[in-house]
Amino acid sequence: MINRSLIALAAAGLAAISSPAFAEDASVCMESPAAIRAAAATAEPAKAKKALRYAAVGEQLCDAGGRREAAKKFAAAAKALDTDLAALTTKTASAQ
């Protein structure tokens, strides 16, 4: 009986710890593409093209359920625009 309680408690703890990571992954797929497109609109054409290519791949990965890999592509897109993803999504969130 005590073993089952400990297992249930451990499982609840793991669920609580991992929940923010899943929420963060979901927000990456919702916020990042728009933020990258907005930044690419004012960027140099070559950098914008590269960033939009990464963003398109990231969106496809989101659709396929690969949120972590998509986050890497969105980060690469932001880097192509000479910024980081956190700065882009913060600007977009504060503008809304």
Side-chain angles (χ1 to χ4, degrees):
M1 178 103 163
I2 293 174
N3 287 340
R4 288 183 184 169
S5 298
L6 290 175
I7 291 171
L9 184 61
L14 287 174
I17 291 170
S18 63
S19 294
F22 289 123
E24 182 180 320
D25 288 345
S27 69
V28 164
C29 287
M30 291 186 295
E31 298 171 1
S32 298
I36 291 168
R37 280 192 203 94
T42 60
E44 297 174 21
K47 290 181 180 183
K49 184 177 179 179
K50 187 174 183 178
L52 291 173
R53 194 174 326 125
Y54 279 126
V57 172
E59 287 178 303
Q60 291 173 349
L61 287 167
C62 283
D63 292 342
R67 290 187 176 125
R68 290 184 188 219
E69 291 300 317
K72 292 177 186 177
K73 293 300 181 186
F74 294 137
K79 186 176 179 181
L81 296 171
D82 296 326
T83 187
D84 65 344
L85 190 57
L88 286 179
T89 54
T90 302
K91 287 178 189 175
T92 304
S94 64
Q96 294 175 353

Coordinates of all heavy atoms in Angstrom, one line a residue:
M1 N 0.8 -1.2 0.0 CA 0.0 0.0 0.0 C 0.9 1.3 0.0 O 0.6 2.2 -0.7 CB -0.9 0.0 1.2 CG -1.8 1.2 1.3 SD -3.4 0.8 0.8 CE -4.3 2.1 1.5
I2 N 1.9 1.3 0.8 CA 2.8 2.4 0.8 C 3.6 2.5 -0.5 O 3.8 3.7 -1.0 CB 3.8 2.3 2.0 CG1 3.0 2.4 3.3 CG2 4.8 3.4 1.9 CD1 3.9 2.2 4.6
N3 N 3.9 1.4 -1.1 CA 4.6 1.5 -2.4 C 3.8 2.1 -3.4 O 4.3 2.9 -4.3 CB 5.1 0.1 -2.8 CG 6.2 -0.4 -2.0 OD1 7.0 0.3 -1.3 ND2 6.4 -1.8 -1.9
R4 N 2.5 1.8 -3.5 CA 1.6 2.3 -4.5 C 1.4 3.8 -4.3 O 1.4 4.6 -5.2 CB 0.2 1.7 -4.4 CG 0.3 0.3 -4.9 CD -1.1 -0.3 -4.9 NE -1.0 -1.7 -5.4 CZ -2.0 -2.6 -5.3 NH1 -3.2 -2.2 -4.7 NH2 -1.9 -3.8 -5.7
S5 N 1.4 4.2 -3.0 CA 1.3 5.7 -2.7 C 2.5 6.4 -3.2 O 2.4 7.5 -3.7 CB 1.1 5.9 -1.2 OG -0.1 5.3 -0.8
L6 N 3.7 5.8 -2.9 CA 4.9 6.5 -3.4 C 5.0 6.5 -4.9 O 5.5 7.6 -5.4 CB 6.1 5.7 -2.8 CG 6.4 5.8 -1.3 CD1 7.5 4.9 -0.9 CD2 6.6 7.3 -0.9
I7 N 4.6 5.5 -5.6 CA 4.6 5.5 -7.0 C 3.6 6.6 -7.5 O 4.0 7.3 -8.5 CB 4.2 4.1 -7.6 CG1 5.4 3.1 -7.3 CG2 4.0 4.2 -9.1 CD1 5.1 1.7 -7.6
A8 N 2.5 6.7 -7.0 CA 1.5 7.7 -7.4 C 2.0 9.1 -7.1 O 1.9 10.0 -8.0 CB 0.2 7.5 -6.7
L9 N 2.6 9.3 -6.0 CA 3.2 10.6 -5.7 C 4.4 10.9 -6.6 O 4.4 12.1 -7.1 CB 3.7 10.6 -4.2 CG 4.3 11.9 -3.7 CD1 3.2 13.0 -3.7 CD2 4.8 11.7 -2.3
A10 N 5.2 10.0 -7.0 CA 6.3 10.2 -7.9 C 5.7 10.5 -9.3 O 6.3 11.4 -10.0 CB 7.2 9.0 -8.0
A11 N 4.7 9.8 -9.7 CA 4.1 10.1 -11.0 C 3.5 11.5 -11.1 O 3.6 12.2 -12.1 CB 3.1 9.0 -11.3
A12 N 2.8 11.9 -10.0 CA 2.2 13.2 -10.0 C 3.3 14.3 -10.0 O 3.2 15.3 -10.7 CB 1.4 13.4 -8.7
G13 N 4.4 14.0 -9.3 CA 5.6 15.0 -9.3 C 6.2 15.1 -10.7 O 6.5 16.2 -11.2
L14 N 6.3 14.0 -11.4 CA 6.9 14.0 -12.8 C 5.9 14.8 -13.7 O 6.4 15.5 -14.6 CB 7.1 12.6 -13.3 CG 8.3 11.9 -12.7 CD1 8.4 10.5 -13.2 CD2 9.6 12.7 -13.0
A15 N 4.6 14.6 -13.6 CA 3.7 15.3 -14.4 C 3.7 16.8 -14.2 O 3.7 17.5 -15.1 CB 2.3 14.7 -14.1
A16 N 3.9 17.2 -12.9 CA 3.9 18.6 -12.6 C 5.2 19.2 -13.1 O 5.2 20.4 -13.6 CB 3.8 18.8 -11.1
I17 N 6.3 18.5 -13.1 CA 7.5 19.0 -13.6 C 7.6 19.1 -15.1 O 8.1 20.1 -15.7 CB 8.7 18.1 -13.1 CG1 8.9 18.3 -11.6 CG2 10.0 18.5 -13.8 CD1 9.9 17.2 -11.0
S18 N 7.0 18.2 -15.8 CA 7.0 18.2 -17.3 C 6.0 19.0 -17.9 O 6.1 19.4 -19.1 CB 7.0 16.7 -17.8 OG 5.7 16.2 -17.4
S19 N 4.9 19.4 -17.2 CA 3.9 20.2 -17.8 C 4.3 21.5 -18.4 O 3.9 21.9 -19.5 CB 2.7 20.4 -16.8 OG 2.1 19.2 -16.5
P20 N 5.1 22.3 -17.7 CA 5.6 23.6 -18.3 C 6.4 23.4 -19.6 O 6.3 24.2 -20.5 CB 6.5 24.2 -17.2 CG 6.0 23.6 -15.9 CD 5.5 22.2 -16.3
A21 N 7.1 22.3 -19.7 CA 7.9 22.1 -20.9 C 6.9 21.8 -22.1 O 7.1 22.3 -23.2 CB 8.8 20.9 -20.7
F22 N 5.8 21.1 -21.9 CA 4.9 20.9 -22.9 C 4.2 22.1 -23.3 O 3.9 22.4 -24.5 CB 3.9 19.8 -22.6 CG 4.5 18.4 -22.5 CD1 4.4 17.6 -21.4 CD2 5.1 17.9 -23.6 CE1 5.0 16.4 -21.3 CE2 5.7 16.6 -23.6 CZ 5.6 15.9 -22.4
A23 N 3.8 22.9 -22.3 CA 3.2 24.2 -22.6 C 4.1 25.1 -23.4 O 3.6 25.8 -24.3 CB 2.7 24.9 -21.3
E24 N 5.3 25.1 -23.0 CA 6.3 26.0 -23.8 C 6.4 25.5 -25.2 O 6.5 26.3 -26.1 CB 7.7 25.9 -23.1 CG 8.7 26.8 -23.7 CD 10.0 26.7 -23.0 OE1 10.0 26.7 -21.8 OE2 11.1 26.7 -23.7
D25 N 6.5 24.2 -25.4 CA 6.6 23.7 -26.8 C 5.4 24.1 -27.6 O 5.5 24.4 -28.8 CB 6.7 22.1 -26.7 CG 8.1 21.7 -26.3 OD1 9.0 22.5 -26.2 OD2 8.2 20.5 -25.9
A26 N 4.2 24.0 -27.0 CA 3.0 24.4 -27.7 C 3.0 25.8 -28.1 O 2.6 26.2 -29.2 CB 1.7 24.0 -26.9
S27 N 3.4 26.7 -27.2 CA 3.4 28.1 -27.5 C 4.4 28.4 -28.6 O 4.2 29.4 -29.4 CB 3.7 28.9 -26.2 OG 5.0 28.8 -25.8
V28 N 5.5 27.7 -28.7 CA 6.5 27.9 -29.7 C 5.8 27.7 -31.1 O 6.0 28.5 -32.0 CB 7.7 26.9 -29.6 CG1 8.5 26.8 -30.9 CG2 8.5 27.3 -28.4
C29 N 5.0 26.7 -31.2 CA 4.3 26.5 -32.5 C 3.2 27.5 -32.8 O 3.0 27.8 -34.0 CB 3.7 25.1 -32.5 SG 4.9 23.8 -32.7
M30 N 2.7 28.1 -31.8 CA 1.6 29.1 -32.0 C 2.2 30.5 -32.3 O 1.7 31.3 -33.1 CB 0.7 29.1 -30.9 CG -0.2 27.9 -30.8 SD -1.4 28.0 -29.5 CE -0.5 28.0 -28.0
E31 N 3.2 30.9 -31.5 CA 3.7 32.3 -31.6 C 4.9 32.5 -32.5 O 5.0 33.6 -33.1 CB 4.2 32.7 -30.2 CG 3.0 32.7 -29.1 CD 3.5 32.9 -27.7 OE1 4.8 33.0 -27.5 OE2 2.7 32.9 -26.8
S32 N 5.8 31.5 -32.6 CA 7.0 31.8 -33.4 C 6.8 32.1 -34.9 O 7.5 33.0 -35.4 CB 7.9 30.6 -33.2 OG 8.3 30.4 -31.9
P33 N 6.0 31.3 -35.6 CA 5.9 31.6 -37.0 C 5.5 33.1 -37.3 O 6.1 33.8 -38.2 CB 4.8 30.7 -37.5 CG 4.9 29.5 -36.6 CD 5.2 30.2 -35.3
A34 N 4.5 33.6 -36.6 CA 4.1 35.0 -36.8 C 5.2 36.0 -36.4 O 5.4 37.0 -37.1 CB 2.8 35.3 -36.0
A35 N 5.9 35.7 -35.4 CA 7.0 36.6 -35.0 C 8.1 36.6 -36.0 O 8.6 37.7 -36.3 CB 7.5 36.2 -33.6
I36 N 8.4 35.5 -36.5 CA 9.5 35.4 -37.6 C 9.0 36.1 -38.8 O 9.8 36.8 -39.4 CB 9.8 33.9 -37.8 CG1 10.5 33.4 -36.6 CG2 10.7 33.8 -39.1 CD1 10.7 31.9 -36.6
R37 N 7.8 35.9 -39.2 CA 7.3 36.6 -40.4 C 7.3 38.1 -40.3 O 7.7 38.9 -41.2 CB 5.9 36.2 -40.8 CG 5.8 34.9 -41.5 CD 4.4 34.6 -42.0 NE 4.3 33.2 -42.2 CZ 3.8 32.3 -41.3 NH1 3.3 32.8 -40.2 NH2 3.7 31.0 -41.5
A38 N 6.9 38.6 -39.1 CA 7.0 40.0 -38.8 C 8.4 40.6 -38.9 O 8.6 41.7 -39.4 CB 6.3 40.3 -37.4
A39 N 9.3 39.9 -38.3 CA 10.7 40.3 -38.3 C 11.3 40.2 -39.7 O 12.1 41.1 -40.1 CB 11.5 39.5 -37.3
A40 N 10.9 39.2 -40.4 CA 11.4 39.0 -41.8 C 11.0 40.1 -42.7 O 11.6 40.5 -43.7 CB 11.1 37.7 -42.3
A41 N 9.8 40.7 -42.4 CA 9.2 41.7 -43.3 C 10.1 43.0 -43.3 O 10.1 43.7 -44.3 CB 7.8 42.1 -42.8
T42 N 10.9 43.2 -42.3 CA 11.8 44.4 -42.2 C 13.2 44.0 -42.4 O 14.1 44.9 -42.2 CB 11.5 45.1 -40.9 OG1 11.8 44.3 -39.8 CG2 10.1 45.6 -40.8
A43 N 13.5 42.8 -42.6 CA 14.9 42.3 -42.7 C 15.5 42.4 -44.1 O 14.7 42.6 -45.1 CB 15.1 40.9 -42.2
E44 N 16.8 42.3 -44.3 CA 17.4 42.2 -45.6 C 16.8 41.0 -46.4 O 16.5 40.0 -45.7 CB 18.9 42.0 -45.5 CG 19.6 43.1 -44.8 CD 21.1 42.8 -44.6 OE1 21.6 41.9 -45.2 OE2 21.7 43.4 -43.7
P45 N 16.6 41.1 -47.7 CA 15.9 40.1 -48.4 C 16.6 38.7 -48.3 O 15.9 37.7 -48.1 CB 16.0 40.6 -49.9 CG 16.0 42.0 -49.7 CD 16.8 42.3 -48.5
A46 N 17.9 38.6 -48.3 CA 18.6 37.3 -48.2 C 18.3 36.7 -46.9 O 18.1 35.5 -46.8 CB 20.1 37.4 -48.5
K47 N 18.4 37.5 -45.8 CA 18.2 37.0 -44.5 C 16.8 36.6 -44.3 O 16.5 35.6 -43.6 CB 18.6 38.0 -43.4 CG 20.1 38.2 -43.4 CD 20.5 39.2 -42.3 CE 22.0 39.5 -42.3 NZ 22.4 40.4 -41.2
A48 N 15.9 37.4 -44.8 CA 14.4 37.1 -44.7 C 14.1 35.8 -45.4 O 13.3 34.9 -44.8 CB 13.6 38.2 -45.3
K49 N 14.6 35.6 -46.6 CA 14.4 34.3 -47.3 C 14.8 33.1 -46.5 O 14.1 32.1 -46.4 CB 15.1 34.4 -48.7 CG 14.8 33.2 -49.6 CD 15.5 33.4 -50.9 CE 15.2 32.2 -51.8 NZ 15.8 32.3 -53.1
K50 N 16.0 33.2 -46.0 CA 16.6 32.1 -45.2 C 15.7 31.8 -43.9 O 15.4 30.7 -43.6 CB 18.0 32.4 -44.8 CG 18.7 31.2 -44.1 CD 20.2 31.6 -43.9 CE 21.0 30.5 -43.3 NZ 22.4 30.8 -43.1
A51 N 15.3 32.9 -43.2 CA 14.5 32.8 -42.0 C 13.1 32.2 -42.4 O 12.6 31.3 -41.6 CB 14.4 34.1 -41.4
L52 N 12.5 32.6 -43.4 CA 11.2 32.1 -43.8 C 11.3 30.6 -44.2 O 10.3 29.9 -44.0 CB 10.6 33.0 -44.9 CG 10.2 34.4 -44.5 CD1 9.8 35.2 -45.7 CD2 9.2 34.4 -43.4
R53 N 12.4 30.2 -44.8 CA 12.6 28.8 -45.1 C 12.6 28.0 -43.9 O 11.9 26.9 -43.8 CB 13.8 28.6 -46.0 CG 13.9 27.3 -46.7 CD 15.1 27.2 -47.6 NE 15.5 28.4 -48.3 CZ 16.8 28.9 -48.2 NH1 17.7 28.3 -47.6 NH2 17.0 30.1 -48.8
Y54 N 13.4 28.4 -42.9 CA 13.5 27.7 -41.6 C 12.1 27.7 -40.9 O 11.7 26.7 -40.4 CB 14.5 28.4 -40.7 CG 15.9 28.0 -40.9 CD1 16.9 29.0 -41.1 CD2 16.3 26.7 -40.9 CE1 18.2 28.7 -41.3 CE2 17.7 26.3 -41.1 CZ 18.6 27.4 -41.3 OH 19.9 27.0 -41.5
A55 N 11.4 28.8 -41.0 CA 10.1 28.9 -40.3 C 9.1 27.9 -41.0 O 8.3 27.3 -40.3 CB 9.6 30.3 -40.4
A56 N 9.1 27.8 -42.3 CA 8.2 26.9 -43.0 C 8.5 25.4 -42.6 O 7.5 24.7 -42.4 CB 8.4 27.0 -44.5
V57 N 9.7 25.1 -42.5 CA 10.1 23.7 -42.0 C 9.6 23.5 -40.6 O 9.0 22.5 -40.2 CB 11.6 23.4 -42.1 CG1 12.0 22.1 -41.5 CG2 12.0 23.5 -43.6
G58 N 9.8 24.6 -39.8 CA 9.3 24.5 -38.4 C 7.8 24.3 -38.3 O 7.3 23.5 -37.5
E59 N 7.1 25.0 -39.1 CA 5.6 24.8 -39.1 C 5.2 23.4 -39.6 O 4.3 22.8 -39.0 CB 5.0 25.8 -40.1 CG 5.0 27.2 -39.5 CD 4.4 28.2 -40.5 OE1 4.9 28.3 -41.6 OE2 3.4 28.9 -40.1
Q60 N 5.9 22.8 -40.5 CA 5.6 21.5 -40.9 C 5.9 20.5 -39.8 O 5.2 19.5 -39.6 CB 6.5 21.1 -42.2 CG 6.0 21.8 -43.4 CD 6.9 21.6 -44.6 OE1 8.0 21.0 -44.4 NE2 6.5 22.0 -45.8
L61 N 7.0 20.8 -39.1 CA 7.3 19.9 -37.9 C 6.3 20.0 -36.8 O 5.9 19.0 -36.2 CB 8.7 20.2 -37.4 CG 9.9 19.8 -38.3 CD1 11.2 20.5 -37.8 CD2 10.0 18.3 -38.2
C62 N 5.8 21.2 -36.6 CA 4.7 21.4 -35.6 C 3.5 20.6 -36.0 O 2.8 20.0 -35.2 CB 4.3 22.9 -35.5 SG 5.5 23.9 -34.5
D63 N 3.1 20.7 -37.3 CA 2.0 19.9 -37.8 C 2.1 18.4 -37.6 O 1.1 17.7 -37.4 CB 1.7 20.2 -39.3 CG 1.2 21.7 -39.5 OD1 0.8 22.3 -38.5 OD2 1.3 22.2 -40.6
A64 N 3.4 18.0 -37.7 CA 3.7 16.5 -37.6 C 3.9 16.1 -36.1 O 4.1 15.0 -35.8 CB 4.9 16.2 -38.4
G65 N 3.8 17.1 -35.2 CA 4.0 16.8 -33.8 C 5.4 16.9 -33.3 O 5.7 16.5 -32.1
G66 N 6.3 17.4 -34.1 CA 7.7 17.5 -33.7 C 8.0 18.9 -33.1 O 8.8 19.6 -33.7
R67 N 7.4 19.2 -32.0 CA 7.5 20.6 -31.5 C 8.9 20.9 -31.1 O 9.4 22.1 -31.2 CB 6.6 20.7 -30.3 CG 5.2 20.8 -30.7 CD 4.2 21.1 -29.6 NE 2.9 21.2 -30.0 CZ 1.9 20.6 -29.6 NH1 2.1 19.7 -28.6 NH2 0.7 20.7 -30.0
R68 N 9.7 20.0 -30.5 CA 11.0 20.3 -30.1 C 11.9 20.6 -31.3 O 12.8 21.5 -31.3 CB 11.6 19.2 -29.2 CG 10.9 19.2 -27.9 CD 11.5 18.2 -26.9 NE 10.6 18.1 -25.8 CZ 11.1 18.0 -24.6 NH1 12.4 17.9 -24.4 NH2 10.3 18.0 -23.5
E69 N 11.8 19.8 -32.3 CA 12.6 20.0 -33.5 C 12.1 21.3 -34.2 O 13.0 22.0 -34.8 CB 12.4 18.8 -34.5 CG 13.1 17.5 -34.0 CD 14.6 17.7 -33.8 OE1 15.3 18.3 -34.6 OE2 15.1 17.2 -32.8
A70 N 10.8 21.6 -34.1 CA 10.3 22.8 -34.7 C 10.9 24.0 -34.0 O 11.3 25.0 -34.6 CB 8.8 22.9 -34.6
A71 N 11.1 23.9 -32.7 CA 11.6 25.0 -31.9 C 13.1 25.3 -32.3 O 13.5 26.4 -32.4 CB 11.6 24.7 -30.4
K72 N 13.8 24.2 -32.7 CA 15.2 24.4 -33.2 C 15.2 25.1 -34.5 O 16.0 26.0 -34.8 CB 15.8 23.0 -33.4 CG 16.1 22.3 -32.0 CD 16.7 20.9 -32.3 CE 16.9 20.2 -31.0 NZ 17.4 18.8 -31.2
K73 N 14.2 24.8 -35.4 CA 14.1 25.5 -36.7 C 13.7 27.0 -36.5 O 14.3 27.8 -37.2 CB 13.1 24.8 -37.6 CG 13.6 23.4 -38.1 CD 14.9 23.5 -38.8 CE 15.3 22.1 -39.3 NZ 16.6 22.1 -39.9
F74 N 12.8 27.2 -35.6 CA 12.4 28.6 -35.3 C 13.6 29.4 -34.7 O 13.8 30.6 -35.0 CB 11.2 28.7 -34.4 CG 10.0 28.1 -35.0 CD1 9.1 27.3 -34.3 CD2 9.6 28.4 -36.3 CE1 8.0 26.8 -34.8 CE2 8.5 27.9 -36.9 CZ 7.6 27.1 -36.1
A75 N 14.4 28.7 -33.9 CA 15.6 29.4 -33.3 C 16.6 29.7 -34.4 O 17.2 30.8 -34.4 CB 16.2 28.5 -32.2
A76 N 16.7 28.8 -35.4 CA 17.6 29.0 -36.5 C 17.1 30.2 -37.4 O 17.9 31.0 -37.9 CB 17.8 27.7 -37.3
A77 N 15.8 30.3 -37.5 CA 15.2 31.4 -38.3 C 15.5 32.7 -37.6 O 15.9 33.7 -38.3 CB 13.7 31.1 -38.5
A78 N 15.3 32.7 -36.3 CA 15.6 33.9 -35.6 C 17.1 34.3 -35.7 O 17.4 35.5 -35.9 CB 15.2 33.8 -34.1
K79 N 18.0 33.3 -35.6 CA 19.4 33.6 -35.8 C 19.7 34.1 -37.1 O 20.6 35.0 -37.3 CB 20.2 32.3 -35.5 CG 21.7 32.5 -35.5 CD 22.4 31.2 -35.1 CE 23.9 31.4 -35.1 NZ 24.6 30.2 -34.7
A80 N 19.0 33.6 -38.2 CA 19.3 34.1 -39.5 C 18.9 35.6 -39.6 O 19.4 36.4 -40.5 CB 18.4 33.3 -40.5
L81 N 18.0 36.1 -38.7 CA 17.6 37.5 -38.7 C 18.4 38.3 -37.7 O 18.0 39.4 -37.3 CB 16.1 37.6 -38.3 CG 15.1 36.9 -39.3 CD1 13.7 36.9 -38.8 CD2 15.2 37.7 -40.6
D82 N 19.5 37.7 -37.2 CA 20.4 38.3 -36.3 C 19.7 38.7 -34.9 O 20.0 39.7 -34.3 CB 21.0 39.6 -36.9 CG 21.9 39.3 -38.1 OD1 22.5 38.2 -38.0 OD2 22.0 40.1 -39.0
T83 N 18.9 37.8 -34.5 CA 18.3 38.0 -33.1 C 18.1 36.6 -32.5 O 18.5 35.6 -33.1 CB 16.9 38.7 -33.3 OG1 16.4 39.0 -32.0 CG2 15.9 38.0 -34.1
D84 N 17.4 36.5 -31.4 CA 17.0 35.2 -30.8 C 15.5 35.1 -30.7 O 14.8 36.1 -30.8 CB 17.8 35.0 -29.5 CG 17.3 35.9 -28.4 OD1 16.7 36.9 -28.7 OD2 17.6 35.6 -27.2
L85 N 15.1 33.8 -30.6 CA 13.7 33.5 -30.6 C 13.0 34.2 -29.4 O 11.8 34.7 -29.6 CB 13.5 32.0 -30.6 CG 12.1 31.5 -30.8 CD1 11.5 32.1 -32.2 CD2 12.0 30.0 -30.9
A86 N 13.6 34.2 -28.3 CA 12.9 34.8 -27.1 C 12.6 36.3 -27.3 O 11.6 36.8 -27.0 CB 13.8 34.6 -25.9
A87 N 13.6 37.0 -28.0 CA 13.3 38.4 -28.2 C 12.2 38.6 -29.2 O 11.4 39.5 -29.1 CB 14.6 39.0 -28.8
L88 N 12.1 37.8 -30.2 CA 11.0 37.9 -31.2 C 9.7 37.6 -30.6 O 8.7 38.4 -30.8 CB 11.3 36.9 -32.4 CG 12.4 37.3 -33.4 CD1 12.5 36.2 -34.4 CD2 12.1 38.6 -34.0
T89 N 9.6 36.5 -29.8 CA 8.2 36.2 -29.3 C 7.8 37.2 -28.2 O 6.7 37.4 -28.0 CB 8.2 34.8 -28.7 OG1 9.3 34.6 -27.8 CG2 8.4 33.7 -29.9
T90 N 8.8 37.8 -27.5 CA 8.5 38.8 -26.5 C 7.9 40.0 -27.2 O 6.9 40.6 -26.7 CB 9.7 39.1 -25.7 OG1 10.2 37.9 -25.0 CG2 9.4 40.1 -24.6
K91 N 8.5 40.4 -28.3 CA 8.1 41.6 -29.0 C 6.6 41.4 -29.5 O 5.8 42.3 -29.5 CB 9.0 41.9 -30.2 CG 10.3 42.5 -29.8 CD 11.2 42.8 -31.0 CE 12.6 43.1 -30.6 NZ 13.5 43.2 -31.8
T92 N 6.4 40.2 -30.1 CA 5.1 39.9 -30.6 C 4.0 39.8 -29.6 O 2.9 40.3 -29.7 CB 5.1 38.6 -31.4 OG1 6.1 38.7 -32.4 CG2 3.8 38.3 -32.1
A93 N 4.4 39.2 -28.4 CA 3.4 39.1 -27.3 C 3.1 40.5 -26.7 O 1.9 40.8 -26.4 CB 3.9 38.2 -26.2
S94 N 4.0 41.4 -26.6 CA 3.8 42.7 -26.1 C 3.0 43.6 -27.0 O 2.3 44.5 -26.6 CB 5.1 43.3 -25.6 OG 5.9 43.6 -26.8
A95 N 3.1 43.3 -28.3 CA 2.4 44.1 -29.3 C 0.9 43.8 -29.3 O 0.1 44.6 -29.8 CB 3.0 43.9 -30.7
Q96 N 0.5 42.6 -28.9 CA -0.9 42.2 -28.9 C -1.5 42.7 -27.7 O -2.2 43.2 -27.2 CB -1.0 40.7 -28.9 CG -0.4 40.1 -30.2 CD -0.5 38.5 -30.1 OE1 -0.8 37.9 -29.1 NE2 -0.1 37.9 -31.2

